[in-house]
Amino acid sequence: MINKVEICGVNTAKLPNLSNDKKIELLKRIKEGDNVAREEFIQGNLRLVLSVIQRFNSRGETADDLFQVGCIGLIKAIDNFNLEVGVKFSTYAVPMIIGEVRRYLRDYNSIRVSRSLRDTAYKALQAKERLISKNQKEPTIAEIAKELDMEKEEIVFALDAIADPVSLYEPVYHDGGDAIFVMDQVKDEKSCDELWLEQIGLKEAMKRLSNREKHILSLRFFQGRTQMEVANEIGISQAQVSRLEKSAIAHMRKYM
């Protein structure tokens, strides 16, 4: 769908590609009110819009609709871009285009969110755009809350309510080789290398203990028994359980 050649009457195979120097020249002319330069700059950045809407390929929307919405984001980026900050236009424009497309998808989402939450969320998004335009960087939640004179929690709840679910298989970056997906950026707390190595170390250290020490540690730390419960089960005093437990842990620490 996104890969078709003609979108909104535009032949995407023949889109111009502007050099960085040309972009800077056109942006300067745009700031002086040159509409011809503005049109040329828009045409020269339609490839950017096309690349952004690729990531929304699986949302069931037509390429023409997404392309038009992306162009609105591009135009907003042109109007708000500040050459003096020294940031590349594409770096500034991509989040603006993505934001415009996501707003469009939220407005036509079948999942309904309360009006008050939607109003708060849209105010937060507008404040975010103002802060980006002013500071040329992404604002924090605290900065948005301060701008709106609201609690941070209100902003977070509202933005979460209108957030689109993202597939773990959605590509977030592609440099011509293998794509990097969302799942590649999510840390697995249960299977990270540190825990895996720690578990191996624990198993090896447990092998160095006597059978009684292994049994006590198993009851205490894997089954959650108290020292008194362990003492009653294996027929020794709580003081002996405590001594054996401390001794076993000391041996394991020394080995590890």
Side-chain angles (χ1 to χ4, degrees), residues 51 54-55 170-181:
S51 67
Q54 295 274 359
R55 69 181 63 191
E170 181 174 317
V172 294
Y173 178 74
H174 199 295
D175 62 355
D178 293 335
I180 296 176
F181 299 96

Side-chain angles (χ1 to χ4, degrees), residues 34-239:
D34 190 331
N35 289 327
V36 175
R38 180 184 176 84
E39 183 62 29
E40 184 179 350
F41 191 81
I42 291 172
Q43 291 294 322
N45 282 278
L46 291 180
R47 286 183 183 274
L48 189 62
V49 175
L50 193 63
S51 67
V52 168
I53 66 172
Q54 295 274 359
R55 69 181 63 191
F56 300 98
N57 191 19
S58 61
R59 298 301 178 90
E61 299 292 331
T62 66
D64 297 70
D65 288 343
L66 293 180
F67 190 72
Q68 290 182 63
V69 174
C71 287
I72 294 172
L74 173 64
I75 292 169
K76 285 185 177 180
I78 294 170
D79 291 340
N80 292 291
F81 185 66
N82 187 351
L83 262 172
E84 296 177 1
V85 176
V87 177
K88 286 181 66 176
F89 176 75
S90 59
T91 303
Y92 176 75
V94 167
M96 295 282 281
I97 298 169
I98 292 173
E100 201 64 34
V101 173
R102 282 184 171 160
R103 273 192 293 278
Y104 166 78
L105 293 173
R106 280 195 298 267
D107 287 340
Y108 290 92
N109 197 333
S110 58
I111 301 173
R112 297 300 173 192
V113 179
S114 73
R115 182 61 183 268
S116 60
L117 273 178
R118 289 175 69 88
D119 287 346
T120 300
Y122 288 139
K123 286 178 183 177
L125 292 172
Q126 289 168 358
K128 180 180 178 180
E129 287 188 9
R130 290 197 300 271
L131 291 169
I132 289 175
S133 178
K134 178 181 177 182
N135 303 319
Q136 299 290 298
K137 67 174 185 177
E138 286 276 328
T140 63
I141 293 295
E143 289 170 337
I144 295 173
K146 184 178 179 181
E147 177 80 4
L148 296 174
D149 192 24
M150 298 175 70
E151 296 293 329
K152 289 188 294 184
E153 290 76 11
E154 290 182 70
I155 304 297
V156 172
F157 289 148
L159 292 176
D160 282 348
I162 64 169
D164 291 321
V166 178
S167 169
L168 288 174
Y169 294 95
E170 181 174 317
V172 294
Y173 178 74
H174 199 295
D175 62 355
D178 293 335
I180 296 176
F181 299 96
V182 171
M183 66 184 300
D184 297 322
Q185 308 298 307
V186 179
K187 183 175 181 181
D188 182 355
E189 299 287 353
K190 295 182 179 179
S191 304
C192 62
D193 290 343
E194 292 85 356
L195 285 177
W196 181 66
L197 291 171
E198 188 175 286
Q199 288 170 359
I200 291 176
L202 282 170
K203 287 179 181 178
E204 291 300 315
M206 288 282 281
K207 290 178 182 178
R208 303 297 180 102
L209 303 178
S210 67
N211 289 335
R212 173 176 273 190
E213 288 174 330
K214 287 179 189 176
H215 187 45
I216 289 172
L217 291 189
S218 176
L219 292 172
R220 287 280 290 125
F221 300 108
F222 293 95
Q223 297 183 34
R225 306 283 187 87
T226 65
Q227 287 185 347
M228 182 63 74
E229 289 172 334
V230 174
N232 290 335
E233 180 164 331
I234 63 179
I236 60 177
S237 68
Q238 182 181 354

